Amino acid sequence: MKAHRDWFDPAAEEAEIEDYTWHCNRHTFASRLAMAGENLVTIATLMGHRTIEMTMRYAHLSPTHNRKWSVS
């Protein structure tokens, strides 16, 4: 199996997508799980993280999601 850099980076370049890397996919994956209500331990396990702190770096929520749940 090829590494993501062998196929993802050339595909993004060919599509003329700027400022988008493979790690953007990981951030999206973690954030969407968090917004769907999944707990951080599960997200950490799925992402292969050893610490919750690392998972929290990836699993930030969208501003829209944060506003939806904020208390006024």
Side-chain angles (χ1 to χ4, degrees), residues 14-34:
E14 185 177 326
E16 298 179 4
I17 299 172
E18 295 182 17
D19 298 323
Y20 193 85
T21 66
W22 179 258
H23 261 45
C24 294
N25 294 324
R26 291 181 56 83
H27 284 275
T28 299
F29 176 71
S31 295
R32 290 198 176 169
L33 284 171

Side-chain angles (χ1 to χ4, degrees), residues 48-62:
H49 293 158
R50 289 183 227 177
T51 67
I52 293 300
E53 290 78 21
M54 178 60 76
T55 305
M56 290 173 67
R57 289 185 202 168
Y58 276 87
H60 12 133
L61 304 177
S62 74

